[in-house]
Amino acid sequence: MASLFKKSSGVLVYRLTRGYLEFLLLHPGGPFYTKKDLGVWSIPKGEFEEEDAKTAAIREFEEETGQKLDGELVNLGEIKMKSGKTVYCWALEKDVDISEFKSNFFEMEWPPKSGLTQKFPEMDKAEWFILKESKEKIHPSQIPFLDRIIEMLKLEENQINPNIPLPKNEGGAGQLDLFS
């Protein structure tokens, strides 16, 4: 029997580039989101029923981005949305090439009551954002996942906020090896 409240699962991909933390977020496709930007971007995720949450997260990432995942996923836990939906999330450090982004499609009647069915990409854009931009762009219910990655990585403020200059390393390149 299906649960009264829906479940969704996804993967929040991050990278450390030029010494800064960036997150991969997706913009929802379809006519309802064409002119919306702030607060509507998302981690690649989707609903599931029978499969386990981690398997669903991997499947959804691949469907919504057109890219395969490899590497060790780290469980970031779950959040409960106002609607009652539970969202499970895993983190993965990976430098995804967004020029290869390709989402799956869905069909819906558009315009409403026209009798016409149109096809739309489930997600229409993929972009990398620093933390400040990510917190503005992402759906507010998903912000805790961003915070959990920062906690997990134990990053310093200058690795999160590009407005604070990075200290010069021994070679003078101005980048840090975050895990040495």
Side-chain angles (χ1 to χ4, degrees):
M1 183 172 147
S3 169
L4 176 62
F5 296 109
K6 295 183 181 206
K7 301 180 294 185
S8 188
S9 192
V11 178
L12 178 53
V13 173
Y14 67 94
R15 69 182 180 185
L16 297 159
T17 183
R18 300 180 313 276
Y20 302 117
L21 178 65
E22 293 181 323
F23 298 97
L24 178 65
L25 300 179
L26 304 182
H27 184 270
F32 300 117
Y33 295 98
T34 303
K35 296 182 181 178
K36 295 180 181 175
D37 188 52
L38 299 180
V40 299
W41 291 68
S42 178
I43 65 173
K45 66 172 185 53
E47 292 182 359
F48 70 101
E49 289 182 20
E50 301 300 320
E51 64 196 317
D52 69 272
K54 188 175 183 180
T55 301
I58 293 167
R59 175 184 50 76
E60 285 293 333
F61 183 90
E62 292 174 359
E63 286 178 3
E64 292 187 354
T65 67
Q67 298 198 24
K68 295 281 184 201
L69 280 181
D70 55 22
E72 186 176 335
L73 298 178
V74 177
N75 190 340
L76 292 178
E78 61 191 63
I79 54 143
K80 182 88 68 178
M81 296 178 68
K82 288 180 187 175
S83 66
K85 178 192 274 189
T86 301
V87 180
Y88 302 87
C89 185
W90 278 262
L92 177 67
E93 182 178 4
K94 182 177 176 77
D95 190 4
V96 173
D97 180 0
I98 59 174
S99 71
E100 302 290 320
F101 169 75
K102 185 178 122 190
S103 180
N104 56 340
F105 286 81
F106 69 95
E107 290 184 352
M108 67 179 284
E109 181 181 7
W110 193 259
K113 300 180 183 175
S114 67
L116 301 172
T117 301
Q118 291 194 43
K119 199 173 182 181
F120 299 97
E122 190 169 340
M123 307 307 262
D124 61 12
K125 288 185 248 176
E127 289 188 36
W128 288 102
F129 297 104
I130 61 170
L131 179 65
K132 181 180 184 298
E133 294 170 325
S134 294
K135 285 189 171 187
E136 293 169 353
K137 301 276 188 178
I138 200 167
H139 189 282
S141 68
Q142 296 176 28
I143 290 174
F145 295 135
L146 302 175
D147 294 334
R148 290 174 193 172
I149 287 183
I150 292 164
E151 246 178 68
M152 175 184 80
L153 296 176
K154 297 177 175 45
L155 295 178
E156 299 295 324
E157 179 66 24
N158 64 349
Q159 295 165 309
I160 298 167
N161 181 356
N163 297 326
I164 299 173
L166 288 169
K168 299 272 185 206
N169 65 14
E170 302 259 333
Q175 295 187 6
L176 294 176
D177 180 356
L178 299 176
F179 299 104
S180 59

